[in-house]
Amino acid sequence: MSDSASVLARDWLQRFEAALATGDARAALPLFNAECYWRDLVSFTWNLRTEEGHDAIAAMLAARLADVRPSHFQLEGEASTAEGVTEAWFTFETAQARGRGLVRLKDGGAWTLLTSMTELKGFEEKKGPRRIMGAEHGVHKGRETWAEKRQHEQATLGYTEQPEVVIIGGGQGGIGLGARLRRLGVPTIIIEKNPRAGDSWRNRYKSLCLHDPVWYDHLPYMPFPDDWPVFCPKDKIGDWLEMYTKVMELNYWSSTVAEKAHWDEQAQRWDVRVMRDGQAVTLRPRQLVFALGVSGYAQVPKITGAETFEGQQHHSSKHPGGDAWRGKKVVVLGANNSAHDICADLWENGADVTMVQRSSTHIAPSASLMELALGGLYSEQALANGVSTDKADLIFASVPYKIMHTFHIPVYEEMKKRDADLYARLEKAGFMLDFGEDGSGLFMKYLRRGSGYYIDVGASELVANGSIKLKSRVGIERINPRSVTLTDGSELPADLLVYATGYGSMNNWLADLVSPEVADRVGKCWGLGSNTTKDPGPWEGELRNMWKPTPVQNLWIHGGNLHQSRHYSQFLALQLKARMEGLPTPVYKPAPSHHLR
Amino acid sequence: MSDSASVLARDWLQRFEAALATGDARAALPLFNAECYWRDLVSFTWNLRTEEGHDAIAAMLAARLADVRPSHFQLEGEASTAEGVTEAWFTFETAQARGRGLVRLKDGGAWTLLTSMTELKGFEEKKGPRRIMGAEHGVHKGRETWAEKRQHEQATLGYTEQPEVVIIGGGQGGIGLGARLRRLGVPTIIIEKNPRAGDSWRNRYKSLCLHDPVWYDHLPYMPFPDDWPVFCPKDKIGDWLEMYTKVMELNYWSSTVAEKAHWDEQAQRWDVRVMRDGQAVTLRPRQLVFALGVSGYAQVPKITGAETFEGQQHHSSKHPGGDAWRGKKVVVLGANNSAHDICADLWENGADVTMVQRSSTHIAPSASLMELALGGLYSEQALANGVSTDKADLIFASVPYKIMHTFHIPVYEEMKKRDADLYARLEKAGFMLDFGEDGSGLFMKYLRRGSGYYIDVGASELVANGSIKLKSRVGIERINPRSVTLTDGSELPADLLVYATGYGSMNNWLADLVSPEVADRVGKCWGLGSNTTKDPGPWEGELRNMWKPTPVQNLWIHGGNLHQSRHYSQFLALQLKARMEGLPTPVYKPAPSHHLR
C-alpha cells in the first residue's frame, strides 16, 4: 500500500515541480482538485495564508512564482494511503529557503497542501553537524571565554548596543520565540514584569495543572524529560521556563515593566521605554513583538453594589488557592476552565462553593480529549508511530481552517456517546452544555473565541454530584455586603466572590503601550472570521494578526497555547531574521483589519 | 547481508536460551568460541564482571543460573556482519529484571557477550507510557500540590526522615547518579561543599573547555540541546549541572561539607556528620556513595625551597586563569592535560611560560581522536547511523577490557601516520612522546592510570613552535625566591609556579572521611590490574571498586568521566534500588582487594 502511495506521491510532486517551473501560474491548477486548499507558512508568501480554491492559488502563484522559484521537491519517507486519501511528506527549496510540506491527494489530485519554511539559506541554525567547536583548535591571543562573552553581552545589550527585537512579555510565548531568535543570531531582549521567569505560572491558583497533556506542551529545542507527568503542575512548568531562559542564554529582563513604545519614523526604529529594576531604560529595537498571552487584561464585570461587599472579591487570575476558605461561603462567577479548577480547589479545601453559570459551556473530559482528539498526534502512541512533535505540529497545521471543523465534529460526536453518562448527570444538575455552534468542540472554540470550555480533569463530577453547587441560567444582579443577589431573585451568602469572567482583547495591551490608534489599526487579534459567537466575519482563514505581518509596520503579535507558541514561533522568528538580514520579504496579501479592538 | 546475519543471530540466541534453560552450567559452552568473554553488568552477577573463557563462564553459570532464570532472548532490530564478525543486539529477561545485550559471533560461536540490566521488574521508572498523570482525575480533599510536596520533602529529608542513600560529592557523577535514584524512588541526599551545583567546573581555570566532544558528555535523561558546541566551555557545563539538579528535583545540599562517616553495625546504617551552611546535621543513610571524581586530593610534590618562593605557587586545580600574568614569567610543572591548557592560556594572556616535562606524554590531537576513536559511536555521523547515546554506551561497554587494547592499537597506529608532522615537530622541540606502553593510546591510559596524556586542542602547536617554552627530561631540583633550579642545573626565573602534577588516589577521601582502615579494606580504586605503569596486577578485568560492591558493606564508589558516570550510574542505581527494596542481590565473586590505597 505504501509503495503505490509513494509512487503516486512522487509522481504528483514531480508534475507539481514541473508545472511551477513553467512560470505559468495556472499550470499547476490541474494538479489540484476542485475543492483544494494550499496553506503556506512563510515559504511562498512571507505570510501565513491559506489559499482556498483554484483561483486563489493561481493568484498567489502569479504574484509570487517569479520570486520564489520553487524546486527540489522530494518525497520524505514513504507516503501512505488511508480511506482514499494519500498523505505524503516532502521537502523543497525556494530561492531563499528550504522547506517542508505535506500534501493530501484524493483521486490523484491535491486536496490539501501545506508548505512551510524550515530555514533560510545562508542563515541556518548552527545545530547538529553545523554546531560550533567551542574550544577553538589553535590558540588565539586575547580571546574571550564563553562566560566573558555572555557577561559582556548582558552588560551592553540594551545600553550601548541596541537589540534588533524587543519582546514584551516573558511567558512561554516570549521565551520560546526568544530561544528561536537566539539560535538565529537575532539580538533580542525579553521584557517581563515578574521577578523570575515562570512567575506567570507560579502566581496562578495553587491547584493549577496544565490542561493539555505533556506531549503537546514542549518548548522548542528541549523536550521535557520523559518522566514528566501527563498534566504538568504549574510550579514545575514555571521552574522549567526559568531554567530554559538560562540554558538558552536569553537576554531576559525580569522585574522590568514596559511603559510606552512609539515608532520613530525617521530612525525606522521603535522607542521603547522600560523600567528595569526601577531604573528607566530606553530600548531602540527595529522590531517589537507583543507576547502577552492569548488574552488581554483580566475582565471584571461591573455589578451594582460591588463596592459595598464586605468579603473578599477578586478576578480568577488573582486567586491564590483555596486554603484560607475552609468552612466559608464562596461564589464563583463563570463556568469555564478557571471557574471549574477554582471551584474544585475550594471544595477540596472545605469551602462551601457555588458556581454561577451564565451561559453554556463545552465540557471535554480530559481522557476522551486525549484519546479521541490529540492521541494520534501527541501521545506515547504517536511517538511510537514515529510522529515526532515537529511532525505532529505540521500535521496539525496542514488541516485548513476552512474545513477543520469537519475533522473535529466526528470526534465530539464520539465524545458525546462515550461520556453520555457524565453529560446526562451534568444536565440533570442543571448545567448548560454545548459543543460549539456546529458541534466542532473544543479546539474550534479556542480558535474562534478563545473561551467557552472546560477540559474536565475532575470538577465536572463534583458539579454533577452537587459537591460544587450550581446556579445556572442566571447572572449576578447585585452585590450586597455579605451576599449576592442573582438575576432570578435568589440570594447567595458569600465570604468570597471570584470573577472567573475571562479576559479582554489582547490588543488592549497595544492601546496602552503604544496608542489606541495603533491598536485600532492592528485591529482584532485572534479569531478566524467564522461568524460564530465572538468571532465576527469576514472569513480570514488564519488567526487574525497572529505570528504574521500586522497592518502596523514592524509590530508583531505572538501568543497562543504551548503548542502554538512552539510551532508558530518558528515562522515568526524566520520573518524577523529575514528582515534583520535585509532579505526581500514581500508580503503576499497582508490581511486587512476589519474590526477595531 | 543483514538478513542472513539476523538468521544466524536469532538461531544463536535461541540455542543459547535453550542451553541456559537446561540448568546445566556447561550446556551453553559449545555456543562460545575458545576465546570468549562474557561481560555482565548486574543482570546475572549483581556485580560488574567479565568472565574470560569457558571455565569462568561455566563457573558463573553454575553459581547463578538457578537464581537468574534467564529467558525471552529476542533479537532487537537486525544483526549485521562486518569483517567476519556478526553483531546482534538482543533483549532478555531474568527472574528479577529486564535486560539488553550485545553479542559478537565469529564462525557461528560467541566471541564477546554483553548482558546488562535495564530495569527491575516491578520497579520500573515511571517514564513514557508509565508516566504519572500529575493532575489527578477526580478531585481529592486535602491533597498536596507538587510544590507543597517538594517543600515538604526538602524540609524533612535528612531531618525527620532519613535518606536511603547519601552521595558525597555533587559534581557530574553525584548529580547523574542522583537523577537515576530519584527516578527509581530512592530517597537520596547529595552533599556538595561548593555553594552552587556546577561550581567544581566554574572554579577551574578560565579557558577550560571539555576535552571530550559533546556527544560523549550527555547526562542521563536530558541530552544537551543540539546547538551545543563540540567542546563545551566549563561555565556552560557548570550552569547546565545547576539547572539539571533543579529540573531533576534532586535533594542537593550545597555549601555542605561531609566531616565524618562511620558504619553503625547495630542499626545497619551509616552515621554521616555534615556541616550544612555552618550547621551540624547527622544523616543516617543505609548506603553511602563516594562520588568525588576520578582522583583524590590535589598532589603537590615536596620540593626543597618551596617555602622560600616569593612569587605565587599553586596546584593546577587552584589556577584561576592567565589574565594577571601578562609579561610575567611562569613555570608549569607537568605535561598532561591541565599543564597544556594552562600553558596555552598563559601564553594567550602574554605570559612568558615554560613547561617542565618530567616524563613522556601521550598526545592525541582532538580532531583525530574524534574521527578515529570516537566518531563511530559519538558523533553526528553516529547519530545519523542510528547509534544513540544509549547504544553507543553499550557498544563501548561490550568490548572486554582484556582485549580492548587490541581494538585501540590500530587507531593510534593511524593517528601516528595522520599526525606525523606534528609528532615530528614536537620531538624536534624536545617533547617526550609516548602512545602507552603497548601503543594502545589514550583511553587505555585513562583506564589503567587515569593520567599521562593531553587531548590536543591547540597547545601542542605552541609547544612545537616554541611559543610555549619546553624543558623536558628534567624535574625541579630546588625552588629559589624568584626562580627554580632544574635537575640539569639550569635555572628558570619565575613569578608564578603552577603544579600541574595531578591528583592522589581517590580513596584518600575515604581515609579521611571514614577511616584509614576502611580505606585500606576498600583498597585501590580504578585501574584494571594490567601490570603497566601505575596499574599494578593482578588482572581484575574491571575497574577496581568502581560502581560495584566494594569490600566494605554498603559503601560504594562512583566516578569517571561524563560518559562513564552517565552509563555506570545506571547499574549503581539499580544495585542500590534492589537493596532498598530488599530484593536478593547475591554478589557473584566480589573482587578481593590486592592493594592498599
Side-chain angles (χ1 to χ4, degrees), chain B residues 195-451:
Chain B
R196 289 163 61 200
D199 278 349
S200 44
W201 284 99
R202 289 191 199 94
N203 294 341
R204 299 298 306 279
Y205 51 92
K206 203 175 86 168
S207 65
L208 178 65
C209 291
L210 296 194
H211 288 82
D212 288 319
V214 63
W215 310 279
Y216 188 75
D217 299 329
H218 295 295
L219 298 183
Y221 306 123
M222 256 184 90
F224 305 124
D226 65 0
D227 67 336
W228 271 42
V230 175
F231 300 104
C232 183
K234 68 173 179 101
D235 295 287
K236 194 171 167 78
I237 194 89
D239 288 356
W240 180 264
L241 288 169
E242 187 177 14
M243 168 286 295
Y244 185 91
T245 59
K246 290 177 185 162
V247 167
M248 292 293 161
E249 303 174 19
L250 306 187
N251 294 297
Y252 191 87
W253 287 19
S254 57
S255 300
T256 303
V257 177
E259 298 196 324
K260 208 70 195 172
H262 81 266
W263 176 248
D264 179 339
E265 185 60 37
Q266 197 171 1
Q268 293 284 298
R269 284 189 166 264
W270 289 92
D271 217 291
V272 186
R273 209 175 65 220
V274 308
M275 286 295 276
R276 185 182 194 191
D277 284 321
Q279 210 161 14
V281 183
T282 298
L283 300 173
R284 306 271 293 157
R286 196 174 305 279
Q287 308 285 351
L288 185 60
V289 180
F290 285 81
L292 291 159
V294 245
S295 334
Y297 298 107
Q299 204 162 251
V300 175
K302 286 202 169 69
I303 302 178
T304 311
E307 72 289 354
T308 70
F309 189 60
E310 291 171 1
Q312 241 190 66
Q313 51 184 328
H314 48 234
H315 187 262
S316 59
S317 60
K318 303 275 188 239
H319 181 71
D323 320 44
W325 302 98
R326 171 177 306 276
K328 301 296 170 106
K329 297 200 180 298
V330 184
V331 172
V332 175
L333 180 61
N336 289 339
N337 261 335
S338 295
H340 276 86
D341 275 358
I342 289 171
C343 284
D345 177 49
L346 285 160
W347 173 82
E348 282 187 23
N349 280 284
D352 174 352
V353 58
T354 305
M355 178 189 284
V356 178
Q357 186 189 27
R358 298 169 299 175
S359 58
S360 68
T361 305
H362 170 48
I363 302 290
S366 168
S368 301
L369 193 67
M370 282 205 291
E371 269 187 61
L372 304 175
L374 289 177
L377 297 182
Y378 302 97
S379 65
E380 292 297 328
Q381 196 51 51
L383 290 174
N385 291 341
V387 182
S388 63
T389 310
D390 274 357
K391 267 197 161 168
D393 287 350
L394 284 170
I395 296 172
F396 213 114
S398 73
V399 177
Y401 287 122
K402 187 79 181 180
I403 54 172
M404 192 178 268
H405 61 288
T406 67
F407 284 64
H408 286 235
I409 289 167
V411 168
Y412 292 89
E413 289 299 331
E414 184 59 31
M415 200 179 284
K416 274 181 204 167
K417 283 183 217 155
R418 197 181 137 130
D419 298 302
D421 177 60
L422 175 67
Y423 291 133
R425 288 186 297 119
L426 278 171
E427 290 199 310
K428 205 171 154 205
F431 196 86
M432 293 183 285
L433 284 172
D434 74 65
F435 288 83
E437 281 166 46
D438 52 3
S440 61
L442 189 121
F443 197 69
M444 293 311 301
K445 268 200 159 182
Y446 171 69
L447 292 175
R448 290 165 175 172
R449 51 180 283 194
S451 65

Side-chain angles (χ1 to χ4, degrees), chain A residues 128 131-133 137 139-140 143 148 183 206 226-231 236 243 249 348 366 380, chain B residues 128 131-133 137 139-140 143 148 183 206 226-231 236 243 249 348 366 380:
Chain A
R131 67 175 88 220
I132 62 168
M133 290 304 283
H137 288 236
V139 177
H140 307 283
R143 74 174 144 178
E148 287 167 337
R183 285 235 181 164
K206 205 175 82 167
D226 65 0
D227 68 334
W228 271 41
V230 174
F231 300 103
K236 193 171 168 79
M243 169 285 296
E249 302 174 21
E348 283 187 23
S366 169
E380 291 298 327
Chain B
R131 67 175 89 220
I132 62 167
M133 290 303 284
H137 288 236
V139 177
H140 308 283
R143 74 173 144 178
E148 287 167 337
R183 286 235 180 163
K206 203 175 86 168
D226 65 0
D227 67 336
W228 271 42
V230 175
F231 300 104
K236 194 171 167 78
M243 168 286 295
E249 303 174 19
E348 282 187 23
S366 168
E380 292 297 328

